[in-house]
Amino acid sequence: MTENTKLIQGRTGPWEMVLGLEVHAQVASNAKLFSGAAVGFGAGPNAQVSLVDAAMPGMLPVINRRCVEQAVRTGLGLKAQINLKSTFDRKNYFYPDLPQGYQISQFKEPIVGEGEVLVELDDGETITVRIERLHLEQDAGKSLHDQDPDSTYVDLNRAGTALMEIVSRPDMRSAPEAAAYVKKLRTILVYLGTCDGDMEKGNLRADVNVSVCRPGAYEKFRATGDFSHLGTRCEIKNVNSYRFIQQAIEYEARRQIEILEDGGKIDQETRLFDPGKGETRSMRSKEEAHDYRYFPDPDLLPLELDPAWVKAIEDSLPELPDPKKARLQSQYGLSAYDAGVLVGDQARADFFEAAAKGRDAKLVANWVTNDLAARLTAASLDIENSPISAGEIADLVKLIEDGVISSKIAKDVFERMWAGEGAPAEIVEKQGLMQVSDTGELEAIIDGLIAGNPAQAESVKEKPQAIGWFVGQVMKATGGKANPGTVNQLLKAKLGL
């Protein structure tokens, strides 16, 4: 994406947007961050609440080792600095669904420091988004305002659930870049097994910081690190889909430009996005860090990590999306695009590799990313639940490679496989779909066509593309089963081309 495409035209000239994201990812763990209460979606109200989560007097937090391990694993996956010593702090604010009156978080000394994420955009450009930090913190509960006209209900099931807050630098310059960053981050977390990435359930959600400035100001900020070159930012809380992230950013940037062009000033505040109206609205003025009165949590010792333990976690990391993409390109000769589509979903990449053993990898990739993907999407199925197995896709591709069926007939076979009619070879046999490559049979059909259409045969000599008519007629005569390569060869010989 060139710089010019990032400009937003206002009444008084062009503007640019500057975006930084704070992504909250729920840690994949069976218990909460400081209590043994279960974690999970769909339990009855307040069914997963321990005395610690409810902040009963005298209850003390105990750190969940698994959550710490998951945070370290994520940091390593983001090529980030792992801090062997970190501390927990109390962030004080009152809300009905936060029984303690404070949230246990990390402020000055987070568990993970600076890292980076490589983000591929749809136009093929790649940008690097720097990660400032990753820290562990508790989630709050949920206030329900729509259960009763006069009362607010509180469900504390989420209270105390472990979150990783992943804070980026303001390195994104357009709504598509921000959405692509969240998508890539989600893919990495799912590969690592540290967050299930389910945005619908709120297990991954983004706070989007948006500001606007005149062209050239961002470059001065990058050169100096001085935020005064940038405009005042507003934070849009808890956006939980790629589409909403883009809509919220576009709306918010326009809103700020209009205020500034009318001579107003932007108030730093927290806003909410209303997907129904496609707009953001004010939620509260943005507190600064000192408003939260952060101080070290007296109930928790500093967290000290053994370097050997961190090394063991690093050694257990799976192959991550970027190295996997490079390997699929070099090992299977796939294009960057095809490899990118495959690694975007770990299960899809595994399915492809299982199907591509000893087969034409490009052909397998086409079937997996096009026909099968379209069918699965239409049926709302994941590839893990595909009614067609990787082995069956491999068998279908082998039939094409061996010239038993054409690519066109393969589509019919695929539809019958999806309908549960059996293995590809069985379907071809049963339905008599074998490609006709018998030159004797094809020659007889072609000879008959040429004899019956002398004028057409003559015109092909002057206009070679007219051969297509003959190819079509042979296909018609064989019910689409003629081998197109053999037909073309024979026609050219017979028509003297």
Side-chain angles (χ1 to χ4, degrees), residues 84-138:
L84 296 176
K85 182 175 184 244
S86 62
T87 52
F88 285 97
D89 300 276
R90 289 187 181 181
K91 178 182 182 181
N92 294 273
Y93 62 94
F94 174 76
Y95 210 68
D97 53 21
L98 192 73
Q100 294 159 175
Y102 58 84
Q103 178 192 38
I104 303 178
S105 182
Q106 294 190 304
F107 181 50
K108 281 192 177 145
E109 296 180 287
I111 189 165
V112 175
E114 294 183 349
E116 63 179 37
V117 176
L118 213 60
V119 181
E120 298 86 359
L121 306 174
D122 286 345
D123 62 4
E125 194 199 336
T126 302
I127 60 166
T128 300
V129 176
R130 296 168 299 160
I131 301 294
E132 185 180 317
R133 57 187 278 148
L134 176 157
H135 61 259
L136 277 169
E137 64 183 24
Q138 303 167 299

Side-chain angles (χ1 to χ4, degrees), residues 32-36 52 59-65 67 88 104 299-300:
K32 295 184 180 178
L33 185 54
F34 298 113
S35 83
V52 175
M59 292 294 110
L60 296 174
V62 177
I63 188 82
N64 179 340
R65 182 188 178 98
C67 295
F88 285 97
I104 303 178
D299 294 332
L300 289 158

Side-chain angles (χ1 to χ4, degrees), residues 351-352 354-357 359 363-364 367-368 372 383 385-400 405 410 413-428:
F351 186 100
F352 161 77
K357 283 194 187 92
R359 298 272 69 83
L363 210 44
V364 172
W367 281 100
V368 173
L372 183 61
I383 201 157
N385 303 314
S386 169
I388 297 176
S389 70
E392 287 170 329
I393 291 289
D395 292 343
L396 181 64
V397 168
K398 186 174 191 310
L399 292 173
I400 302 168
I405 56 173
V413 176
F414 176 81
E415 291 303 328
R416 291 173 182 278
M417 288 162 68
W418 183 269
E421 290 184 28
E426 261 176 69
I427 293 168
V428 169

Side-chain angles (χ1 to χ4, degrees), residues 323-372:
K324 190 186 277 284
K325 181 181 174 185
R327 181 175 64 75
L328 292 186
Q329 285 178 256
S330 62
Q331 187 177 334
Y332 298 99
L334 296 182
S335 67
Y337 176 80
D338 282 341
V341 171
L342 289 167
V343 301
D345 178 340
Q346 193 175 21
R348 190 189 300 144
D350 292 345
F351 186 100
F352 161 77
E353 291 211 72
K357 283 194 187 92
R359 298 272 69 83
D360 178 332
K362 174 67 186 153
L363 210 44
V364 172
N366 283 345
W367 281 100
V368 173
T369 59
N370 297 328
D371 301 73
L372 183 61

Side-chain angles (χ1 to χ4, degrees), residues 26-46:
Q26 183 173 313
V27 177
S29 155
N30 293 329
K32 295 184 180 178
L33 185 54
F34 298 113
S35 83
V39 172
F41 190 80
N46 298 303

Side-chain angles (χ1 to χ4, degrees), residues 209-229:
N209 291 285
V210 183
S211 70
V212 295
C213 62
R214 290 294 190 184
Y218 181 76
E219 283 64 34
K220 288 180 189 159
F221 156 70
R222 284 299 292 257
T224 60
D226 182 351
F227 278 89
S228 68
H229 292 296

